[in-house]
Amino acid sequence: MDNSQSKQPSETAEITVGNKTILCPVITGTENEKALDISQLRSKTGFVTYDDGFSNTASCLSSITYIDGENGVLRYRGIPIEELAEKRTFVEVAHLLIFGHLPSADERGVFSKLLTSNCMIHDNMVKLFDNLPSSSHPMATLSAMVVTLSAYYPELSNLEINPGEINQIIAELLAKLRTLAAYSYKKSIGEPIIYPKRKYRYVENFLHMMFSTPVDEYPLDKEVVDAIEKILILHADHEQNCSTSTVRLVGSSKANLFASISAGICALWGPLHGGANQAVIEMLESIVRDGGQAKRVIERAKDKKDSFRLMGFGHRIYKNFDPRAKIIKEICDKLLLKLGINDPCLDVAKQIEEIALKDDYFIERKLYPNVDFYSGIILRAIGIPTNMFTVIFAMGRLPGWIAHWKEQRDTPTTKIGRPRQIYVGAPIKHIE
Ligand code: CMC
């Protein structure tokens, strides 16, 4: 899609710098969001803009996901996240994000078949797992293996291919990343890898590859499958977050899909982004170990001399509530009840939320639980080890990353990403 088509400015804004004035076209989004097009600013005035962390900078026009952070709204291709989480599977949502519409029954059949038939990994590549230390973090393994796909499947790394072939690559990646994620876990615990089965659907196969052994088949529980399905849907896209922007930036150099996604996985790993789900559980566990002192943790988070932050709280965009967190909390309560689990971490999490939501520090800064606050408790209840939490986030985010990579690739006007900087280093010096 050529997003430049929607760029029809009807208003302009004036920017005066010194004695120079330029007219900036105002770009209006579908939901009446306004942006100033400052692309002529430097050439006409010599100035650039400075925006640490890109808090006020739109880097692209996109038709994939809409977020209204003030009102807790999240929609994929126009459809509210609440409806998708309730009524659709992850594979259908992946199709929606990547191809722009929910699949018809026929399309769903074809897409599912493609995923099942492409889930195997080249046997020589599987051997690479043996050479990684079993202590390696599964995110390191996953990122390394995803970029390695371009070595084992070079024909899929060629960008000069037709749309049919792109769909094939996309299906391969969606199918193979799930297999790689499960293999990285099996290798980390020293168990033989388990091959996927045709009879299982996407999420079922993931759980089977994670938890079955050569002697025992993992008994699939509908509620568990459903919880993972919803977690993946809730993570599937979130417009220009750190990892997606990374995927777009790498992809803007015309790097292949595997290289771009591998970079996105690395960006996701950090504790301020996708790594927060692991950090939340580690924080909750340490509070439980110390006797459940939720109040003390809140005080530390508020103390400006302490670098500690309340993990799973706060968001750059959501300033009222995170709609994903609301759904996740419901899934968490329901699943733990069904599985008969009484997790002290859940009690501590609820205490923290209750205290923080009444505390001026958090109220003034509009800090609320985000998607990572309760997701770890669900994953823990299912038996997924803590260091795999961010891998699950990566599996969920994959369709979003692919959709953005594809949108950018299909937009002929896309430029290579190349921000400016303000140099504040030493002035010119000469060698004596
Ligand atoms: N605990 C304590 N104080 C916080 C927190 C927190 N979790 N988050 C923000 N603040 C404070 C921050 O110190 C600052 O205070 P002040 O104005 O006095 O300097 C103010 O709130 C604004 O914070 P910021 O760092 O400027 O906000 P940001 O938009 O740059 O950062 C964030 C957003 C998510 C990185 C941050 O809220 C944070 O570090 N949260 C904890 C990590 C986390 O849960 N990350 C997962 C995000 S959701 C999943 C995803 O999409 O990645």
Side-chain angles (χ1 to χ4, degrees):
M1 191 204 66
D2 182 356
N3 280 318
S4 62
Q5 299 305 311
S6 53
K7 202 176 166 182
Q8 293 162 340
S10 53
E11 336 163 24
T12 50
E14 245 179 46
I15 296 186
T16 303
V17 188
N19 58 1
K20 290 193 180 124
T21 296
I22 66 160
L23 285 181
C24 296
V26 172
I27 300 172
T28 306
T30 310
E31 301 292 335
N32 214 25
E33 287 172 296
K34 304 270 185 190
L36 298 185
D37 177 347
I38 49 116
S39 50
Q40 300 293 311
L41 184 68
R42 188 172 176 279
S43 62
K44 299 240 167 99
T45 68
F47 278 63
V48 295
T49 54
Y50 172 65
D51 184 16
D52 191 14
F54 310 117
S55 304
N56 301 286
T57 300
S59 60
C60 59
L61 302 179
S62 179
S63 313
I64 301 168
T65 287
Y66 172 68
I67 302 177
D68 173 351
E70 265 62 44
N71 294 305
V73 171
L74 170 60
R75 297 180 202 141
Y76 299 160
R77 302 281 187 188
I79 305 177
I81 190 65
E82 293 79 3
E83 288 178 33
L84 290 168
E86 194 194 324
K87 299 182 182 156
R88 295 299 178 152
T89 64
F90 174 63
V91 168
E92 289 171 316
V93 171
H95 189 288
L96 169 73
L97 285 166
I98 297 168
F99 303 110
H101 63 275
L102 284 165
S104 63
D106 282 354
E107 285 172 324
R108 194 171 53 223
V110 172
F111 195 47
S112 296
K113 227 182 205 162
L114 259 181
L115 293 181
T116 310
S117 56
N118 288 297
C119 58
M120 302 295 285
I121 306 292
H122 194 294
D123 209 36
N124 288 344
M125 195 174 152
V126 175
K127 293 192 186 102
L128 293 178
F129 280 91
D130 295 333
N131 295 313
L132 290 168
S134 58
S135 58
S136 73
H137 195 287
M139 284 296 275
T141 309
L142 190 67
S143 171
M145 289 299 169
V146 168
V147 77
T148 306
L149 286 172
S150 42
Y152 281 89
Y153 303 90
E155 68 286 4
L156 302 179
S157 309
N158 177 7
L159 283 178
E160 303 310 319
I161 49 179
N162 65 46
E165 286 169 315
I166 275 285
N167 294 352
Q168 172 71 23
I169 299 173
I170 288 169
E172 296 251 9
L173 184 54
L174 279 168
K176 287 185 178 13
L177 187 126
R178 175 193 53 180
T179 309
L180 290 171
Y183 283 10
S184 63
Y185 169 61
K186 283 295 193 192
K187 281 292 160 190
S188 75
I189 56 166
E191 274 190 12
I193 56 173
I194 298 294
Y195 289 99
K197 286 199 167 170
R198 277 189 196 284
K199 67 173 180 178
Y200 288 141
R201 300 175 75 165
Y202 194 88
V203 171
E204 293 170 341
N205 239 332
F206 174 64
L207 291 167
H208 159 68
M209 287 188 278
M210 284 282 292
F211 297 124
S212 291
T213 68
V215 284
D216 284 314
E217 183 130 346
Y218 174 70
L220 288 163
D221 178 322
K222 192 187 164 311
E223 305 272 346
V224 168
V225 173
D226 205 43
I228 294 283
E229 193 95 56
K230 287 187 168 47
I231 285 185
L232 296 181
I233 292 172
L234 295 173
H235 286 86
D237 193 41
H238 215 235
E239 48 116 308
Q240 309 310 317
N241 56 85
C242 176
S243 56
T244 304
S245 299
T246 301
V247 169
R248 287 191 85 122
L249 194 59
V250 175
S252 78
S253 74
K254 305 260 185 247
N256 70 59
L257 180 62
F258 303 129
S260 308
I261 300 294
S262 172
I265 293 170
C266 291
L268 184 75
W269 192 0
L272 296 190
H273 189 11
N277 53 13
Q278 174 171 345
V280 169
I281 278 292
E282 285 165 356
M283 177 186 79
L284 295 175
E285 282 173 344
S286 81
I287 300 171
V288 171
R289 263 197 315 273
D290 294 348
Q293 292 296 316
K295 269 198 180 131
R296 210 173 67 81
V297 170
I298 298 270
E299 289 314 313
R300 273 195 73 192
K302 288 160 44 175
D303 182 355
K304 290 291 167 199
K305 286 186 239 106
D306 191 332
S307 61
F308 174 79
R309 284 194 163 198
L310 193 53
M311 300 313 288
F313 257 72
H315 200 276
R316 172 65 61 79
I317 307 288
Y318 294 121
K319 298 297 172 198
N320 185 337
F321 67 95
D322 180 338
R324 304 167 301 172
K326 214 169 157 187
I327 303 171
I328 290 228
K329 193 176 174 191
E330 283 165 19
I331 304 170
C332 185
D333 281 333
K334 198 171 143 207
L335 187 74
L336 266 62
L337 192 68
K338 161 76 186 11
L339 300 180
I341 293 175
N342 189 3
D343 188 342
C345 284
L346 180 59
D347 301 334
V348 170
K350 286 187 173 170
Q351 276 173 39
I352 290 179
E353 181 180 0
E354 203 185 321
I355 301 169
L357 294 187
K358 288 187 198 140
D359 189 299
D360 284 347
Y361 175 94
F362 293 88
I363 295 170
E364 280 160 18
R365 289 169 181 76
K366 302 187 172 165
L367 303 171
Y368 297 87
N370 59 46
V371 68
D372 291 316
F373 196 60
Y374 287 103
S375 62
I377 297 172
I378 300 175
L379 298 175
R380 212 161 94 110
I382 292 171
I384 291 175
T386 314
N387 67 358
M388 281 294 288
F389 289 3
T390 315
V391 170
I392 306 282
F393 193 150
M395 273 176 62
R397 185 55 52 88
L398 183 62
W401 288 333
I402 295 175
H404 283 272
W405 182 88
K406 186 171 178 297
E407 180 178 70
Q408 180 172 266
R409 180 185 182 275
D410 294 346
T411 306
T413 49
T414 298
K415 288 183 171 189
I416 186 167
R418 205 302 183 188
R420 291 267 170 183
Q421 65 161 20
I422 314 293
Y423 176 69
V424 293
I428 188 165
K429 296 195 246 195
H430 295 288
I431 302 164
E432 285 170 20

